[in-house]
Amino acid sequence: MADWIPAEVVTNRHWNNDLFSLTLRANIEPFKAGQFTKLGLEIDGKMIQRAYSFVNPPSETLVEVYATRVADGLLSPRLHALQAGDTVFVSARANGYFTLNEVPESEHLWMLATGTAIGPYLSILLNSDTSANSVWKRYRKVVLIHAVRFASDLSYQAEINTLKERHPDQFIVQPFVSREPAMLSLPGRIPQAIADGMLERHVGLPLNPATSQIMLCGNPEMVKDTKAALEAKGFEKNLRRKPGQITMEHYW
């Protein structure tokens, strides 16, 4: 518990009724893009906490997390209601291994996410790191796949469009919207689109273990089913002791 430090709410941006982004001012320790922190509030004498990935790159001084309000949740409705000037507790030290230094070299990097699990990818993509480990230096093509239920759940479009303008020949974005028709989006689920080849056709790149690294983050069911669809194409889980092509993180 000694890891908790107070954080001041700078902004609480509500994207729609449930999705929101908290920007916080806190003196946290340095972290790597892709890692997560914990937010907590004292409720009925107990510290209620949840893990949230950083959206901001390590170079920024303000902390940003992306979350969804769960109607019957203990913490998220209270975080959703926070206003500028309020205080929330944050873990000073980051955790997690869903970072680029854990991903092997390749030609193409595919970033697959559902919902708020786009957060760690934004931290990686927005990182101004100019070292050899920058995503823009390591991979010839970077593909961001974001699956949501409704078009209004496609947050951070301004940031994504800015990245597309900066890297027009390198960055490919393909959203999925499952519960309504949406312009420029694919229907259905990511695993099925991989299994039947629809994703490769629309993106214009092959999913090939020899040229592709895959990062999976989000809904555990999506992660499990997508891993199975990729394994059917010859991909293997990436382990430190045995490098492969699939690096995963369950988002709850």
Side-chain angles (χ1 to χ4, degrees), residues 213-251:
Q213 282 291 324
I214 316 292
M215 297 181 77
L216 290 179
C217 187
N219 180 326
E221 183 179 358
M222 182 281 285
V223 172
K224 175 176 68 70
D225 293 347
T226 302
K227 177 175 176 284
L230 290 167
E231 287 175 338
K233 292 181 174 290
F235 287 82
E236 296 182 356
K237 184 177 180 180
N238 178 37
L239 302 169
R240 283 182 172 178
R241 65 179 182 275
K242 185 183 178 185
Q245 301 87 24
I246 307 171
T247 302
M248 303 183 301
E249 179 157 281
H250 293 173
Y251 214 61

Side-chain angles (χ1 to χ4, degrees), residues 68-139:
T68 187
R69 175 176 58 176
V70 179
D72 59 351
L74 290 175
L75 182 63
S76 63
R78 295 174 186 251
L79 296 178
H80 183 268
L82 291 174
Q83 299 180 8
D86 287 344
T87 298
V88 62
F89 288 94
V90 61
S91 174
R93 184 174 301 170
N95 289 283
Y97 299 97
F98 197 65
T99 57
L100 273 188
N101 60 298
E102 299 288 339
V103 181
E105 300 293 332
S106 189
E107 286 188 41
H108 307 149
L109 177 66
W110 295 69
M111 298 172 153
L112 279 57
T114 55
T116 56
I118 194 176
Y121 295 136
L122 291 170
S123 182
I124 292 170
L125 293 166
L126 294 168
N127 193 4
S128 59
D129 181 9
T130 57
S131 71
N133 198 45
S134 165
V135 67
W136 306 110
K137 290 184 177 293
R138 286 189 57 188
Y139 301 97

Side-chain angles (χ1 to χ4, degrees), residues 176 186-187 189-202 229 233:
F176 278 72
L186 293 177
R189 299 178 66 239
I190 292 173
Q192 183 59 40
I194 291 174
D196 64 17
M198 181 173 67
L199 181 57
E200 292 172 87
R201 291 194 297 273
H202 277 262
K233 292 181 174 290

Side-chain angles (χ1 to χ4, degrees), residues 122-192:
L122 291 170
S123 182
I124 292 170
L125 293 166
L126 294 168
N127 193 4
S128 59
D129 181 9
T130 57
S131 71
N133 198 45
S134 165
V135 67
W136 306 110
K137 290 184 177 293
R138 286 189 57 188
Y139 301 97
R140 189 169 62 84
K141 297 285 187 180
V142 178
V143 185
L144 177 64
I145 309 296
H146 188 202
V148 298
R149 296 175 301 168
F150 301 102
S152 62
D153 298 333
L154 292 169
S155 307
Y156 288 100
Q157 291 305 295
E159 290 82 356
I160 289 170
N161 287 333
T162 296
L163 288 167
K164 288 166 67 175
E165 291 171 3
R166 290 178 184 169
H167 309 278
D169 300 321
Q170 189 177 9
F171 190 37
I172 300 170
V173 179
Q174 181 58 65
F176 278 72
V177 176
S178 62
R179 297 192 183 180
E180 64 181 4
M183 189 178 299
L184 304 178
S185 298
L186 293 177
R189 299 178 66 239
I190 292 173
Q192 183 59 40

